Amino acid sequence: MDDLVKILMPISIMGTFGAALVAFTRVLTDYILKKRMIDKGYVNEDTQAIFKQQAVPSFTESRYPSLKWGLIIFFAGLSLILMEYIPHDVESPLPYGLFALSVSLGFLIYYFIVRKDQK
């Protein structure tokens, strides 16, 4: 088990760092490209439509990002509190299942709130 941790830990750290670097670079280059297009006067009706299309939030990017994270953190914390009082074996998968179930419940509640708001 220790060998697996020694292998997966650097991979996960480098993967997270790499994904963050790619996301940051993409946002920065998109901004620079849009700014240069505006400065050179290449912005017409078609390019404005493309810029607006990218700026319109989709269903996943709703008006309630703090509600989403609040619900997720609330249910994650609730599962950690419940795990303190539920007896389980050290090798038991119960804590992982309870945590995953609680976080999914938070996501589902958020989904139904946003869906109800959009109707």
Side-chain angles (χ1 to χ4, degrees), residues 42-86:
Y42 293 136
V43 180
N44 57 16
E45 305 284 328
D46 297 332
T47 53
Q48 284 181 1
I50 292 171
F51 289 162
K52 287 180 184 176
Q53 183 182 21
Q54 289 179 350
V56 173
S58 65
F59 178 74
T60 57
E61 300 171 11
S62 74
R63 299 177 301 198
Y64 305 115
S66 56
L67 174 67
K68 175 174 67 174
W69 290 110
L71 281 170
I72 292 168
I73 292 171
F74 173 76
F75 279 100
L78 187 64
S79 72
L80 292 174
I81 291 170
L82 286 174
M83 282 188 271
E84 186 68 29
Y85 295 108
I86 296 175

Side-chain angles (χ1 to χ4, degrees), residues 1 19 22 24 26 28 51 60 67 71 74 81 87 96 102:
M1 184 71 174
V22 167
F24 176 75
R26 181 174 178 197
L28 188 64
F51 289 162
T60 57
L67 174 67
L71 281 170
F74 173 76
I81 291 170
Y96 302 111
S102 298

Side-chain angles (χ1 to χ4, degrees), residues 1-52:
M1 184 71 174
D2 288 334
D3 294 335
L4 185 63
V5 171
K6 288 180 183 178
I7 293 170
L8 291 180
M9 188 63 70
I11 291 173
S12 65
I13 291 171
M14 294 302 290
T16 304
F17 179 72
L21 186 64
V22 167
F24 176 75
T25 305
R26 181 174 178 197
V27 169
L28 188 64
T29 55
D30 285 349
Y31 170 76
I32 292 170
L33 176 65
K34 288 178 185 178
K35 187 172 189 244
R36 284 187 182 169
M37 287 179 71
I38 291 170
D39 289 344
K40 295 208 179 205
Y42 293 136
V43 180
N44 57 16
E45 305 284 328
D46 297 332
T47 53
Q48 284 181 1
I50 292 171
F51 289 162
K52 287 180 184 176

